[in-house]
Amino acid sequence: MPEDELAEINGILPKRVIADGEEVEARSMTSKSVYKVKRTWDHFYCTCPAWRNQARVPVNSRTCKHLRSILGDAYEDARLALKNLDGVKKESSSKPPKTPSKSAKRKRRGDDDDDAKPKKKKLSRSTKGKMKTKGEIEEEEQEQEEKEEEEVDREVLSKKPPPIHDSAAMPEDELAEINGILPKRVIADGEEVEARSMTSNSVYKVKRTWDHFYCTCPAWRNQARVPVNARTCKHLRSILGDAYEDARLALKNPHGVKKEATSSKAPKTPSKSTKRQKRGDDNDDDDDDKPKKKRLARGTKGKIKTKGEIEEEEEEEEEEEEEEDDGEVPSRKPPPLLLANSWKIDGGQDVTGWWISEKLDGVRVFYDGKHMWSRLGNPFTPPKELLAKLPTDITLDGELFGGRGKFQDTVSVVKTMNSPHWKNITFQVFDIPSKGDLPFEDRMASLQALFGPSGSHACPEVQLVKQTQAESRDHILNMLKDVETKGGEGLMLRKPQSLYEGRRSSTLLKIKSFYDAEARVTGYEPGKGKNKGLTGSLKCVMESGKKFNVGTGLSDKQRRNPPRVGSIIVYRFQELTRDGVPRFPSFIGEAADKTDPKDAEVPEHRKAGVAGPSDL
């Protein structure tokens, strides 16, 4: 076959060549209606009711009078024979009954959109017998066509969606068109649009990322049991269209659409914790979880925590929120994971002999023997092929990892179902909690027996995180420099012979480099929870003009009397996001001797989305 399989079929050329992506107009042969004919990949579409009312025919095997007029009867017959070998004869030989009913006449529109003339003929007189003008007749014909198109939409949506094809065979943009249905508005990958609330003055943000759409409204975010690429809301439906959204949900979550649509109802009297977690209306960076921070002010034994400990836990919560990012109610109790403290590069404890591994910039995951869960207790929906390769009699602790410098991409993928991008994700395993009463070295031996090079469950999708024993402080710092140069996030240190504790522990330490920079204060975000009535975070602008908020690091005194608008502050951060704003910024203090902000000099490998020379 030639490179373009539709350029010529069995020696027959089309009357007119339509390039992939090209759109042409087709005028109705019996009215003033104008339809659009478009080629996408290996098939042609027409917006007329006749083309759209072929629910049982694959989209690449449909035709209509407009396509036949443009491409030619001979070419269309050859194309249909090529694309639907088993169905063409059946379709072409189906004859109408001798005395068709009115509804049958209305539905038999395969040749054109205006076959139902008996109905339109009746429109020539009003209900009182008065003759109508030509303009009134044309107006009613147009209304009739619109009604017929709506009927077709409902009929198409009532059919079972076709099977999902392999991603390699799908068009380059799988959301450009779904089962012949186009979105009312095309949103490009990475594009962000505003959506105004229909019942208040709120303005939400709708954004497309790869194969799914996000909305910051509470309705979208409060769908904990639905993969992010199978969620919708009124704002998405308003922008994209109901028919398109129904088709998209059926494609992305074919077994869950009806159940979710009918059974997901809010409880009549939600608990306080539920109210606290349904936070769709606000879009703060670090203040959504203030009630949680209030509990963190004291340890499990009532001991008051230091500012450093509080900041560390605030950062941990920010990481959780960035990974979850939906404000959703957890589907189950959060798993008891081992959490790390920070190791100070200057003056930290001697960790010679500890085990060093790379701190992966992925999404933390707990495998319970059947399913994968986030650290907040929300489900992940990896491909069944991945779960089938894991043992079912143990639990695993690790990260879903898409590569160095690709954290935001990884987050987007792991929240989805049926996304082809899962092929870029590996499950990086670093512990086995079900054997937590054994020393760390014994747990690593068990993991080697399972997932090592000759392990019983060895496979490319599941990898063990490499462990290296620390020889000295300089050894650790050199490894840190090497990992960060390659685009890695940092290092983890594990105490020898330590057990697995489902809480924050001094037996696990993390090391990351940070950068200091300056920004100008432009305003304030109000506090919530224990900080209600105080400053929640500072609105700031960088030297580059990028805007961000910083709340972590502010003391109660500073929240009551924050730095004035226009002043210069010093903040600390780990890296820049792909949008060029600091990730996990922390307030350090005011720069009394500065009049203009100064950005930090961040190397390319410390910018999100930029992988180093050697990726995992």
Side-chain angles (χ1 to χ4, degrees):
M1 235 182 228
E3 184 177 346
D4 182 354
E5 62 175 314
L6 297 185
E8 180 179 337
I9 301 174
N10 296 336
I12 303 174
L13 298 173
K15 287 170 57 177
R16 171 174 177 175
V17 176
I18 301 179
D20 186 14
E22 184 181 356
E23 185 177 274
V24 299
E25 288 188 347
R27 293 189 174 275
S28 172
M29 302 171 185
T30 55
S31 72
K32 291 187 177 181
S33 298
V34 178
Y35 302 108
K36 293 181 180 179
V37 170
K38 182 178 180 181
R39 176 181 171 185
T40 300
W41 197 33
D42 70 338
H43 36 282
F44 300 93
Y45 299 91
C46 183
T47 57
C48 75
W51 187 95
R52 299 171 67 183
N53 193 32
Q54 300 176 50
R56 295 180 180 86
V57 183
V59 290
N60 61 349
S61 304
R62 300 181 190 179
T63 190
C64 63
K65 276 192 175 181
H66 310 107
L67 281 171
R68 287 184 175 277
S69 173
I70 294 171
L71 302 173
D73 284 327
Y75 177 84
E76 278 297 84
D77 290 339
R79 184 176 68 85
L80 300 194
L82 172 68
K83 293 297 181 182
N84 194 11
L85 293 173
D86 299 327
V88 175
K89 292 181 179 180
K90 184 177 180 181
E91 291 292 333
S92 61
S93 62
S94 59
K95 296 180 180 180
K98 291 183 179 179
T99 309
S101 65
K102 292 181 180 179
S103 61
K105 288 181 180 179
R106 197 162 50 239
K107 291 187 177 180
R108 264 195 297 115
R109 299 192 301 267
D111 287 335
D112 195 21
D113 47 76
D114 305 304
D115 286 344
K117 282 296 176 294
K119 190 190 301 181
K120 293 186 178 179
K121 187 174 182 180
K122 287 188 292 186
L123 293 175
S124 62
R125 288 181 178 271
S126 67
T127 55
K128 295 183 178 180
K130 182 181 178 181
M131 296 297 293
K132 296 187 178 182
T133 65
K134 183 179 178 181
E136 290 174 328
I137 294 172
E138 289 179 352
E139 188 174 307
E140 289 185 340
E141 285 179 348
Q142 184 65 33
E143 290 178 357
Q144 180 65 28
E145 288 179 356
E146 290 177 357
K147 289 179 181 178
E148 288 175 347
E149 290 191 10
E150 290 177 1
E151 290 175 6
V152 172
D153 284 342
R154 287 193 291 271
E155 182 176 346
V156 170
L157 291 174
S158 68
K159 310 297 180 185
K160 184 178 180 180
I164 299 170
H165 300 292
D166 183 76
S167 59
M170 296 180 80
E172 185 177 346
D173 183 355
E174 62 178 308
L175 296 186
E177 181 174 341
I178 301 174
N179 296 340
I181 302 174
L182 299 172
K184 287 169 57 178
R185 171 174 179 174
V186 176
I187 301 179
D189 185 14
E191 184 182 356
E192 185 176 274
V193 298
E194 287 189 348
R196 293 191 173 275
S197 171
M198 303 173 186
T199 55
S200 70
N201 293 326
S202 299
V203 178
Y204 303 110
K205 293 181 180 179
V206 169
K207 183 176 181 180
R208 177 181 170 185
T209 301
W210 271 347
D211 67 342
H212 39 283
F213 299 93
Y214 297 92
C215 183
T216 57
C217 75
W220 188 94
R221 301 176 68 180
N222 195 33
Q223 299 177 50
R225 295 175 178 84
V226 184
V228 292
N229 62 345
R231 299 182 189 180
T232 190
C233 63
K234 280 188 176 182
H235 311 106
L236 280 171
R237 288 184 174 276
S238 173
I239 294 171
L240 302 172
D242 284 326
Y244 178 83
E245 279 297 85
D246 289 338
R248 183 176 68 85
L249 300 195
L251 171 68
K252 292 300 180 182
N253 194 12
H255 304 298
V257 176
K258 291 183 180 179
K259 183 177 180 181
E260 289 296 332
T262 58
S263 64
S264 59
K265 294 181 180 180
K268 293 182 179 179
T269 309
S271 64
K272 291 181 179 180
S273 61
T274 302
K275 290 179 179 178
R276 199 161 51 229
Q277 295 189 55
K278 280 196 286 170
R279 302 187 300 265
D281 279 321
D282 83 293
N283 198 22
D284 290 350
D285 287 341
D286 46 23
D287 300 306
D288 285 345
D289 52 350
K290 285 297 182 294
K292 199 185 303 179
K293 293 180 182 178
K294 186 174 183 178
R295 293 197 301 270
L296 293 174
R298 289 180 178 270
T300 55
K301 296 182 179 179
K303 181 181 177 182
I304 299 296
K305 296 188 177 183
T306 65
K307 181 180 179 181
E309 289 173 328
I310 294 174
E311 287 183 7
E312 188 169 285
E313 290 181 332
E314 286 177 348
E315 180 187 330
E316 192 80 32
E317 289 171 2
E318 286 183 2
E319 290 181 358
E320 289 175 354
E321 286 207 349
E322 188 168 4
E323 290 178 15
E324 308 285 339
D325 197 32
D326 298 329
E328 54 193 28
V329 181
S331 299
R332 54 167 279 172
K333 183 179 179 181
L337 298 178
L338 174 61
L339 303 176
N341 289 318
S342 293
W343 184 70
K344 296 180 180 179
I345 295 178
D346 297 323
Q349 68 185 93
D350 183 9
V351 289
T352 301
W354 285 44
W355 294 97
I356 313 172
S357 63
E358 180 174 344
K359 187 181 189 303
L360 301 176
D361 200 9
V363 177
R364 188 78 173 268
V365 62
F366 176 79
Y367 171 70
D368 65 3
K370 292 183 179 180
H371 307 287
M372 288 185 172
W373 302 90
S374 75
R375 56 178 159 184
L376 291 187
N378 290 311
F380 290 124
T381 52
K384 293 180 180 178
E385 294 79 9
L386 171 58
L387 293 177
K389 296 178 180 180
L390 299 174
T392 59
D393 57 346
I394 60 170
T395 62
L396 298 171
D397 186 4
E399 297 220 359
L400 294 171
F401 184 62
R404 295 185 179 117
K406 298 178 181 177
F407 172 77
Q408 289 171 300
D409 292 344
T410 302
V411 171
S412 294
V413 174
V414 301
K415 296 181 186 178
T416 64
M417 173 185 283
N418 297 329
S419 171
H421 301 291
W422 268 99
K423 66 184 179 182
N424 301 319
I425 304 297
T426 58
F427 181 21
Q428 300 281 334
V429 181
F430 45 68
D431 217 323
I432 180 169
S434 54
K435 296 189 177 183
D437 55 346
L438 297 178
F440 177 69
E441 290 79 1
D442 292 350
R443 301 200 302 276
M444 291 303 100
S446 296
L447 290 175
Q448 282 289 342
L450 289 169
F451 304 110
S454 58
S456 59
H457 291 70
C459 62
E461 297 87 352
V462 183
Q463 300 177 16
L464 291 182
V465 176
K466 183 180 178 181
Q467 302 286 340
T468 304
Q469 201 152 23
E471 299 174 1
S472 64
R473 180 177 178 277
D474 287 342
H475 179 210
I476 296 171
L477 295 181
N478 288 335
M479 281 191 67
L480 176 65
K481 182 179 180 180
D482 179 63
V483 165
E484 291 184 341
T485 300
K486 293 176 179 177
E489 183 181 1
L491 297 178
M492 302 297 295
L493 299 172
R494 187 69 68 90
K495 185 177 182 180
Q497 299 295 308
S498 60
L499 306 181
Y500 189 96
E501 305 171 70
R503 58 181 179 83
R504 193 173 303 280
S505 171
S506 59
T507 64
L508 180 65
L509 304 175
K510 57 185 176 182
I511 318 169
K512 296 182 288 187
S513 294
F514 289 89
Y515 302 92
D516 287 352
E518 298 149 6
R520 187 185 306 278
V521 178
T522 60
Y524 314 101
E525 286 287 350
K528 297 176 179 63
K530 77 182 184 75
N531 292 320
K532 187 174 182 179
L534 306 176
T535 300
S537 61
L538 306 176
K539 293 182 178 180
C540 301
V541 61
M542 303 166 62
E543 179 187 17
S544 64
K546 298 283 186 178
K547 298 177 181 179
F548 70 100
N549 289 7
V550 55
T552 299
L554 289 171
S555 66
D556 289 343
K557 181 179 180 181
Q558 289 164 333
R559 292 183 188 277
R560 288 190 293 269
N561 186 25
R564 61 179 176 80
V565 172
S567 63
I568 306 299
I569 64 161
V570 178
Y571 64 94
R572 182 167 293 162
F573 66 99
Q574 178 188 336
E575 64 179 10
L576 296 176
T577 69
R578 65 173 57 169
D579 296 322
V581 298
R583 184 178 172 201
F584 305 139
S586 179
F587 175 80
I588 301 300
E590 292 189 62
D593 57 339
K594 300 290 179 67
T595 57
D596 294 299
K598 179 70 175 176
D599 290 343
E601 295 183 6
V602 181
E604 284 298 314
H605 63 264
R606 300 301 291 164
K607 297 177 182 178
V610 180
S614 176
D615 212 348
L616 279 183

